[in-house]
């Protein structure tokens, strides 16, 4: 892997990366990426813009190929192109906002999909994914936190079918507070509905869900040893949901480490 960064000016930076992926009798693939960063003038509300274009490659893993019973020894390697534009707004009262617009096109996407009584790895050709991700990081006197939300469209093949197990909406809210040696955080994660299987007249749908978890950490210094005690309450509202049809996720549960 080789990379180079060139400072065009005090506001502009250009970078290039070249990577060679090689394994005898398996693959010989080159990927590249280019990125342009531009910092805007002081009086504009956008702080920085970044434009990037890259290629990607992924060879099937050992499990993808040979796991019993769902491995598929006929899998091909993934290849594709990615393009994105990032905007960072100027911080206001310790609030930071950034936006990411992205597009990717993948050939031979490797995806594990349910097949009767087990899951199997398969190649999906001509997969397109595009959308928008927004992040807001904020710092208040009482709490620090972050809100992230993504809208993602996807389809594949000649028929432009929506990608299975690919939710259109994903969101996270994280709140954090430090009290002396204690660190307390509360996070809520939202996943929109997604297609489990294509069917007529309606597709089988995994319903949207939202779960909340609480985590408490305490650091204790014992001479040369730092002891970190952690308590977590996961899915505190005991929400019943499935990540895929027929595979229910755990209800309320606790963890101490």
């Amino acid at each position: 892997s080789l990379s180079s960064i060139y400072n065009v000016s005090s506001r502009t930076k250009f970078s290039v990366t070249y990577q060679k992926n090689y394994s005898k009798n398996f693959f010989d693939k080159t990927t590249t990426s280019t990125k342009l960063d531009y910092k805007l003038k002081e009086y504009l509300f956008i702080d920085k813009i970044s434009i990037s274009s890259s290629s990607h490659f992924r060879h099937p893993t050992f499990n993808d190929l040979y796991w019993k019973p769902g491995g598929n020894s006929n899998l091909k390697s993934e290849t594709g192109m990615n393009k994105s534009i990032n905007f960072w707004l100027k911080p206001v009262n310790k609030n930071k906002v950034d936006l990411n617009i992205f597009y990717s096109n993948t050939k031979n996407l490797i995806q594990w999909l349910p097949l009767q009584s087990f899951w199997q790895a398969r190649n999906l050709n001509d997969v397109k994914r595009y959308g928008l991700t927004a992040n807001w990081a904020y710092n208040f006197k009482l709490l620090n936190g972050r809100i992230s939300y993504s809208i993602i469209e996807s389809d594949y093949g000649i028929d432009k079918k929506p990608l299975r197990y690919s939710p259109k909406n994903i969101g996270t809210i994280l709140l954090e507070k430090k009290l002396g040696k204690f660190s307390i955080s509360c996070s809520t994660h939202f996943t929109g509905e997604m297609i489990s299987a294509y069917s007529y007249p309606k597709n089988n749908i995994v319903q949207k869900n939202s779960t909340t978890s609480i985590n408490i950490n305490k650091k204790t210094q014992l001479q040369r040893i730092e002891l970190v005690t952690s308590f977590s309450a996961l899915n505190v509202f005991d929400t019943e949901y499935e990540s895929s049809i027929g595979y229910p996720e755990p209800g309320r549960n606790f963890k101490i480490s």
Side-chain angles (χ1 to χ4, degrees):
S1 180
L2 300 172
S3 62
S4 177
I5 299 175
Y6 178 63
N7 292 312
V8 181
S9 67
S10 60
R11 296 182 180 275
T12 308
K13 182 170 63 176
F14 182 74
S15 59
V16 179
T17 301
Y18 172 92
Q19 182 170 305
K20 180 77 168 178
N21 304 276
Y22 174 79
S23 180
K24 187 178 180 180
N25 300 325
F26 286 98
F27 54 82
D28 184 359
K29 185 67 179 176
T30 298
T31 58
T32 60
S33 68
T34 57
K35 184 180 178 183
L36 178 67
D37 294 315
Y38 181 71
K39 188 172 180 62
L40 278 74
K41 296 181 179 180
E42 298 291 337
Y43 56 83
L44 297 176
F45 69 94
I46 297 177
D47 186 42
K48 187 174 72 171
I49 297 176
S50 177
I51 302 173
S52 65
S53 177
S54 64
S55 58
H56 67 261
F57 162 78
R58 185 172 86 85
H59 191 69
T61 65
F62 189 84
N63 284 345
D64 291 335
L65 294 168
Y66 307 117
W67 183 268
K68 296 288 176 92
N72 185 351
S73 60
N74 296 318
L75 287 175
K76 299 177 182 178
S77 299
E78 280 186 19
T79 57
M81 290 291 298
N82 315 293
K83 300 180 185 298
S84 68
I85 301 177
N86 289 269
F87 300 90
W88 286 268
L89 304 186
K90 288 191 181 298
V92 177
N93 296 328
K94 297 183 179 180
N95 289 263
K96 298 180 180 179
V97 176
D98 65 88
L99 303 172
N100 171 242
I101 301 171
F102 59 89
Y103 170 85
S104 73
N105 189 346
T106 303
K107 296 181 179 179
N108 301 316
L109 175 75
I110 299 171
Q111 186 180 36
W112 282 77
L113 295 170
L115 179 68
Q116 296 178 352
S117 60
F118 62 92
W119 290 59
Q120 185 181 56
R122 304 182 200 174
N123 281 126
L124 300 179
N125 199 20
D126 196 23
V127 176
K128 295 181 177 64
R129 285 173 287 193
Y130 52 93
L132 167 71
T133 297
N135 297 290
W136 172 30
Y138 48 91
N139 296 279
F140 299 131
K141 291 183 178 180
L142 296 177
L143 289 171
N144 297 328
R146 186 180 73 251
I147 297 176
S148 177
Y149 195 81
S150 298
I151 302 174
I152 305 170
E153 294 283 356
S154 63
D155 60 65
Y156 78 97
I158 298 176
D159 298 331
K160 304 295 182 182
K161 287 185 175 181
L163 199 62
R164 294 167 64 182
Y165 290 100
S166 180
K168 181 178 179 180
N169 298 283
I170 301 174
T172 300
I173 299 175
L174 174 67
L175 301 174
E176 295 178 311
K177 177 66 176 178
K178 289 188 177 181
L179 297 171
K181 296 182 179 180
F182 287 91
S183 176
I184 304 171
S185 64
C186 176
S187 63
T188 298
H189 184 71
F190 169 80
T191 302
E193 65 178 30
M194 48 190 171
I195 296 175
S196 169
Y198 307 114
S199 186
Y200 181 83
K202 292 184 178 181
N203 294 323
N204 295 334
I205 300 295
V206 178
Q207 297 301 318
K208 61 184 178 181
N209 65 79
S210 178
T211 58
T212 299
S213 299
I214 297 174
N215 187 72
I216 302 174
N217 291 327
K218 181 186 178 183
K219 292 183 179 181
T220 305
Q221 194 68 36
L222 302 175
Q223 295 182 355
R224 298 183 180 181
I225 298 174
E226 185 179 65
L227 177 66
V228 180
T229 305
S230 177
F231 170 78
S232 299
L234 309 175
N235 192 3
V236 293
F237 297 115
D238 202 24
T239 302
E240 293 185 5
Y241 72 102
E242 294 178 319
S243 57
S244 58
I245 291 180
Y247 294 84
E249 294 294 334
R252 183 188 301 113
N253 60 99
F254 305 94
K255 180 173 69 174
I256 297 176
S257 62

